[in-house]
Amino acid sequence: MAETLTAASSHGEHAHGEMSFWSKYVFSTDHKVVGLQYMFTGIFMGLIGGFMAYAFRMQLAFPGVEVPGYGLVSPVDYNALVTNHGTIMIFWVAMPVLVAAFGNYLIPLMVGADDMVFPRLNRLSYQVFLLSAIVLICSFFVEGGGFGGAWTAYPPLSAQSQYNLTPLGSSLWLVAVGLEFVAFLIGGINFITTAMNSRAPGMKAYDIPMIVWMIVVASIMFMASVGPLLAGAVMLFMDQNIGTAFFDPDRGGDPILWQHLFWFFGHPEVYVVLLPATGLVADIITVFSRKKLFAYRTVLYTVFATGVLSFTVWAHHQFVAGIDPRMAHVFTVTTLLISIPIAEMMFVYIATLYGGSITLTTPMLWALAFIAEFLIGGVTGVFLGASGADIYFHDTYFVLAHFHYTFFPIAIIGFYAGISFWFPKMFGKMMNETLGKIHFWGTVIPFNLIFIPLFVLGASGQHRRIYDFSHFPNLSAPWQQDLRILATSALLVMLAFQSVFLVNFVWSLWKGRKAGKNPWKSNTLEWTAESPPPHGNWSELPTVYRGPYEYGVPGRDSDYWPQNEPN
Amino acid sequence: MPISVTNQDYGRIHLVADSRRQPLLASSVMGMLLFVLIEAMLFAGMISAYSIIRSGAMIWPPPDQPRLPIEETAINTAALMLSGLLLFVAHRRFRRDRARARTPLLLSMLLGAVFVVFQGVEWVALIREGFTLTSSSQGSFFYLIVGMHALHAVAALGVLAYVALRLQRGWLASSQLAAAEVFWYFVVGMWPIIYLVVYL
Ligand code: HEM
Ligand SMILES: [Cu+2]
């Protein structure tokens, strides 16, 4: 019965006609607006996080220099900058952009729904998120400055203000992170319920585009892992402000307990942000190689396996924290095991590319760069997973370079891949390809020039979270300082090239070529809506007849086969 | 599920997509189940933290701490279990004859409220005896875990009150009742575990 019901007819009952600016862009419950709000907030926070990296990298390359645009970086500043850089990049950039922005924008469109199942909860999710960002930013300006106890916030440093010197900053940091989690939990409930209950008729489990699956699995993982950390955050907050001693060994507490609570969440979190990125890469490479995704179901089972396994590896972050060496063996084994499904996923993508008719558009370049760079991150992780080797590598720049080779492809390359691919849908205009490619090379080459030197420095024993290496005679050889200067210079180049993206973004919004509904000749449902889709997405909601990756099917005139076409 | 129910569920008309399918699990129930999953992990985190601290302590309970009111709490536990049972009765009756669901629902809420109030009285007595958040790690965990549970109980009672109001007005959808039930059964089901781990 319901099939005859159209979105338009039901919309009639609501006066959608003229909405004020406020109700349309600020307090909207439309999943697309909420998605874009998340995206722009994420970009804004990314600029802050990048600026912080600039400030502390300048200090490392030129100790004691007056950093243009920042000023002198004091030791306390340095700690706060590093801590908040890490926190922002993961919780206020990677999460909102990859999970929330793409999740909100794409899930209803890709499953053929007119909105999320709980639109008002969705709006609340963004509002809580915005509040969390404001609290975090305020924490930089309170007395004592922002929290400087590292993004992992290990007690006793984080718990006692006589150590961290930021009594208010560390509590505000904790509150901000807690609020951010609440925002994503609300969002996650929406993502999962919508993908399960609002799919277009005919869309079976294996017809769901990869990115939707990935965001759903990521949301489930987030929900299942964040509880213990929330508990830990409440306990830490009480230690800071009420005088309890959950993590104080002098009074019957246990600081290692925090590490378990943190990393039980922290490791799955890596996959929470990784999965959406791999999902959108799958969608992009199939479109631009005009080939079916190799082994759709295998990828899906792989993801489920990864999801489960990722809950069993957390103590590989604690090999040198005094855990039982027999336990370390167990976690070594699970950690090495988990590299298998991820490696398999990368091979599946390469197999998808094999023999395809590849077009190197900007989104495709980003997607390919994701695969290449992430592989480096993955391979170097194997060294760290082996507990014996990690005793040497732990807390060096080798670790740092390793996780930047995973996070940068995820958060930055993944975002650029996604935005350059869906920009036409979001804003109805094409982005400029030439500027896009300049920006691509201007980002990816410097990225490697930043972090390859840091691998080398790490292997030579350079520790993380150090303010000034000239205090360490065996870390201040001229060649080491030269590598630091190289990394910082590459960062300056990379940051400068980001302006090309901003120019391209604004210019394309304003003057870009009209995109039409389906500029990439893609199969998935979002491309059957107008660009940009109106409130309610379709005048008549689509029905699905096949999977999302039917490209280059033999015997058909066109090389693609949209999901909603009966034949 | 009829369309009108879906629309009423969220006070929104434009959720057409939902009504185009026949989901196995109504969205409100699925949303609540996911919420309960998160909260279950929250309690799992606190309870395992407690177990770690307790098993690592030289002497447990820490010296000079009053004995916890095990017997009184056992009775209180029974009251909460009964409340869960009554909600189930309300559920059964709601399916056949909506009006008759009212009494067991209200009784269930009443017992839930008794549980919370009694818990509060117990806290006051314990604090008088010098058992506080900061008096020992046992005290810290006791108030953390029991307090978190009380917070959930109060929130769930609020949801039940909302359900009762809608029942009164004749607007209650069965999926809404089911979602509220999920929440309350979680509160009820969590408690015996807490009682076993924290009190005994
Ligand atoms: C824009 C380019 C980036 C550069 C040049 C950069 C550089 C750095 C450096 C040098 C540190 C360590 C400082 C120290 O230990 O003293 C650091 C820490 C960190 N970065 Fe980045 N980073 C960048 C982007 C990112 C991104 C995109 C992410 C994640 C999505 C990220 C996450 C982190 C984290 C989690 C830490 C650890 C913070 C801590 O020790 O508490 N970074 N970054
Ligand atoms: Cu890990």
Side-chain angles (χ1 to χ4, degrees):
Chain A
M1 97 250 72
E3 307 243 337
T4 52
L5 208 68
T6 65
S9 70
S10 63
H11 269 193
E13 297 168 43
H14 256 332
H16 273 310
E18 283 122 67
M19 286 193 291
S20 72
F21 171 84
W22 289 95
S23 59
K24 198 164 170 193
Y25 296 110
V26 183
F27 297 111
S28 173
T29 54
D30 183 353
H31 70 99
K32 298 182 290 296
V33 177
V34 175
L36 292 179
Q37 286 173 329
Y38 262 115
M39 191 175 86
F40 287 119
T41 315
I43 294 175
F44 175 74
M45 294 304 277
L47 290 174
I48 299 183
F51 177 76
M52 290 174 159
Y54 154 78
F56 65 67
R57 276 302 328 163
M58 287 296 283
Q59 158 65 23
L60 290 178
F62 313 103
V65 75
E66 184 92 18
V67 179
Y70 184 87
L72 217 62
V73 179
S74 73
V76 178
D77 280 5
Y78 184 89
N79 291 341
L81 285 172
V82 170
T83 302
N84 286 290
H85 157 79
T87 315
I88 287 178
M89 287 298 194
I90 290 182
F91 295 132
W92 279 274
V93 181
M95 292 281 287
V97 169
L98 288 167
V99 184
F102 289 127
N104 270 309
Y105 201 94
L106 295 175
I107 289 177
L109 277 167
M110 284 183 135
V111 303
D114 48 358
D115 206 333
M116 287 287 180
V117 164
F118 308 110
R120 280 177 297 180
L121 274 186
N122 210 21
R123 176 179 59 187
L124 179 69
S125 158
Y126 174 73
Q127 288 167 342
V128 174
F129 174 75
L130 184 65
L131 180 66
S132 77
I134 292 171
V135 171
L136 187 77
I137 290 173
C138 287
S139 81
F140 308 154
F141 301 106
V142 298
E143 203 174 329
F147 177 52
W151 84 286
T152 48
Y154 283 5
L157 185 56
S158 58
Q160 270 144 293
S161 56
Q162 73 262 37
Y163 302 143
N164 60 39
L165 306 180
T166 54
L168 204 53
S170 38
S171 292
L172 284 179
W173 180 89
L174 208 52
V175 169
V177 173
L179 285 173
E180 198 260 7
F181 290 163
V182 171
F184 280 95
L185 291 172
I186 301 174
I189 290 177
N190 242 326
F191 296 162
I192 298 169
T193 319
T194 305
M196 291 304 136
N197 279 359
S198 293
R199 295 201 306 277
M203 183 178 266
K204 295 186 286 297
Y206 297 116
D207 300 331
I208 302 175
M210 231 0 129
I211 183 167
V212 176
W213 261 126
M214 296 282 192
I215 292 179
V216 166
V217 176
S219 303
I220 296 174
M221 289 171 64
F222 182 73
M223 290 176 168
S225 63
V226 83
L229 182 56
L230 273 173
V234 173
M235 288 152 69
L236 187 56
F237 189 85
M238 287 162 76
D239 271 14
Q240 286 172 343
N241 296 297
I242 308 185
T244 53
F246 291 110
F247 303 118
D248 182 355
D250 278 351
R251 295 196 287 139
D254 181 1
I256 303 289
L257 178 60
W258 167 267
Q259 300 186 13
H260 285 294
L261 295 174
F262 184 88
W263 287 114
F264 180 79
F265 159 80
H267 195 90
E269 167 70 9
V270 176
Y271 295 91
V272 169
V273 291
L274 167 65
L275 293 184
T278 55
L280 61 89
V281 166
D283 284 332
I284 293 170
I285 59 173
T286 47
V287 168
F288 294 111
S289 55
R290 314 308 288 168
K291 262 189 75 188
K292 197 170 176 146
L293 181 67
F294 186 87
Y296 177 102
R297 291 188 186 202
T298 311
V299 175
L300 205 55
Y301 302 150
T302 304
V303 171
F304 295 152
T306 312
V308 173
L309 260 182
S310 74
F311 282 86
T312 64
V313 300
W314 79 89
H316 61 209
H317 297 275
Q318 297 162 258
F319 284 151
V320 299
I323 63 170
D324 189 326
R326 286 165 300 182
M327 286 301 285
H329 282 311
V330 174
F331 283 97
T332 295
V333 173
T334 53
T335 303
L336 298 186
L337 272 180
I338 204 171
S339 59
I340 296 172
I342 293 296
E344 184 215 298
M345 219 143 96
M346 295 299 127
F347 286 125
V348 163
Y349 289 177
I350 294 169
T352 303
L353 295 168
Y354 182 77
S357 30
I358 291 174
T359 340
L360 289 179
T361 56
T362 310
M364 183 62 162
L365 284 175
W366 287 113
L368 296 177
F370 172 85
I371 298 173
E373 304 289 6
F374 186 79
L375 269 176
I376 300 178
V379 168
T380 50
V382 176
F383 295 80
L384 305 172
S387 56
D390 189 58
I391 291 172
Y392 178 74
F393 285 127
H394 181 81
D395 245 348
T396 66
Y397 268 64
F398 189 90
V399 173
L400 183 112
H402 149 71
F403 73 68
H404 280 83
Y405 260 100
T406 61
F407 275 135
F408 191 89
I410 291 170
I412 309 296
I413 297 184
F415 163 63
Y416 285 136
I419 188 68
S420 53
F421 185 65
W422 279 291
F423 186 92
K425 182 53 57 186
M426 291 174 171
F427 304 106
K429 304 280 180 71
M430 301 302 286
M431 282 186 103
N432 183 299
E433 279 286 310
T434 315
L435 287 180
K437 282 175 183 155
I438 293 174
H439 171 234
F440 171 79
W441 292 111
T443 303
V444 167
I445 295 173
F447 162 66
N448 289 284
L449 288 178
I450 300 172
F451 288 104
I452 290 172
L454 298 189
F455 267 128
V456 177
L457 285 168
S460 79
Q462 173 173 316
H463 259 248
R464 286 168 71 183
R465 300 169 180 157
I466 300 284
Y467 168 61
D468 184 349
F469 289 104
S470 56
H471 298 185
F472 299 83
N474 51 356
L475 289 178
S476 39
W479 68 269
Q480 288 173 313
Q481 198 55 31
D482 289 345
L483 284 185
R484 281 175 208 130
I485 293 175
L486 170 60
T488 299
S489 318
L491 173 65
L492 295 180
V493 174
M494 186 174 90
L495 289 178
F497 268 100
Q498 302 318 300
S499 59
V500 178
F501 172 76
L502 293 179
V503 168
N504 192 358
F505 195 100
V506 175
W507 188 86
S508 305
L509 271 184
W510 182 41
K511 284 253 153 118
R513 193 157 49 79
K514 274 245 180 320
K517 278 188 180 175
N518 192 358
W520 310 120
K521 298 193 172 30
S522 174
N523 283 345
T524 39
L525 291 179
E526 79 273 29
W527 301 103
T528 64
E530 298 295 328
S531 306
H535 197 144
N537 296 342
W538 288 275
S539 58
E540 192 163 346
L541 292 170
T543 300
V544 165
Y545 298 94
R546 67 188 57 75
Y549 300 117
E550 301 297 325
Y551 294 104
V553 178
R556 274 183 60 82
D557 293 342
S558 73
D559 71 344
Y560 67 117
W561 202 354
Q563 286 190 279
N564 67 326
E565 279 183 12
N567 45 53
Chain B
M1 199 201 328
I3 291 177
S4 59
V5 172
T6 318
N7 288 338
Q8 259 185 14
D9 263 6
Y10 318 111
R12 281 266 140 182
I13 301 300
H14 71 97
L15 284 161
V16 197
D18 230 31
S19 58
R20 297 204 308 159
R21 300 181 87 236
Q22 301 280 316
L24 278 178
L25 212 56
S27 296
S28 51
V29 178
M30 186 185 277
M32 190 57 89
L33 279 172
L34 290 168
F35 174 72
V36 161
L37 163 79
I38 300 162
E39 302 309 282
M41 287 307 291
L42 176 75
F43 280 96
M46 290 186 299
I47 289 175
S48 44
Y50 171 74
S51 314
I52 290 172
I53 296 288
R54 181 172 172 167
S55 62
M58 302 284 187
I59 17 173
W60 196 270
D64 310 328
Q65 293 294 297
R67 189 175 162 282
L68 293 175
I70 294 173
E71 295 77 14
E72 295 90 324
T73 310
I75 299 172
N76 208 17
T77 305
L80 189 62
M81 299 299 109
L82 190 59
S83 159
L85 200 67
L86 281 167
L87 190 60
F88 185 67
V89 172
H91 170 95
R92 296 286 296 261
R93 288 195 177 175
F94 182 79
R95 286 172 139 195
R96 273 181 256 115
D97 174 7
R98 299 192 165 208
R100 288 184 56 232
R102 199 169 141 231
T103 321
L105 176 61
L106 290 180
L107 276 178
S108 166
M109 286 169 59
L110 183 69
L111 276 177
V114 166
F115 170 84
V116 174
V117 170
F118 186 82
Q119 214 62 53
V121 172
E122 213 172 58
W123 278 28
V124 173
L126 282 171
I127 290 170
R128 286 234 180 84
E129 290 178 53
F131 186 68
T132 67
L133 246 179
T134 48
S135 66
S136 71
S137 47
Q138 189 194 15
S140 308
F141 273 107
F142 176 85
Y143 289 106
L144 176 73
I145 298 175
V146 176
M148 197 66 91
H149 182 266
L151 218 60
H152 282 75
V154 170
L157 280 175
V159 172
L160 286 181
Y162 174 76
V163 161
L165 194 75
R166 290 193 76 111
L167 180 70
Q168 187 71 21
R169 306 248 166 99
W171 296 341
L172 185 64
S174 61
S175 61
Q176 285 172 326
L177 177 61
E181 279 179 75
V182 169
F183 196 4
W184 189 245
Y185 295 151
F186 168 72
V187 170
V188 171
M190 206 61 230
W191 181 254
I193 303 174
I194 294 176
Y195 181 66
L196 281 179
V197 177
V198 178
Y199 282 79
L200 299 184

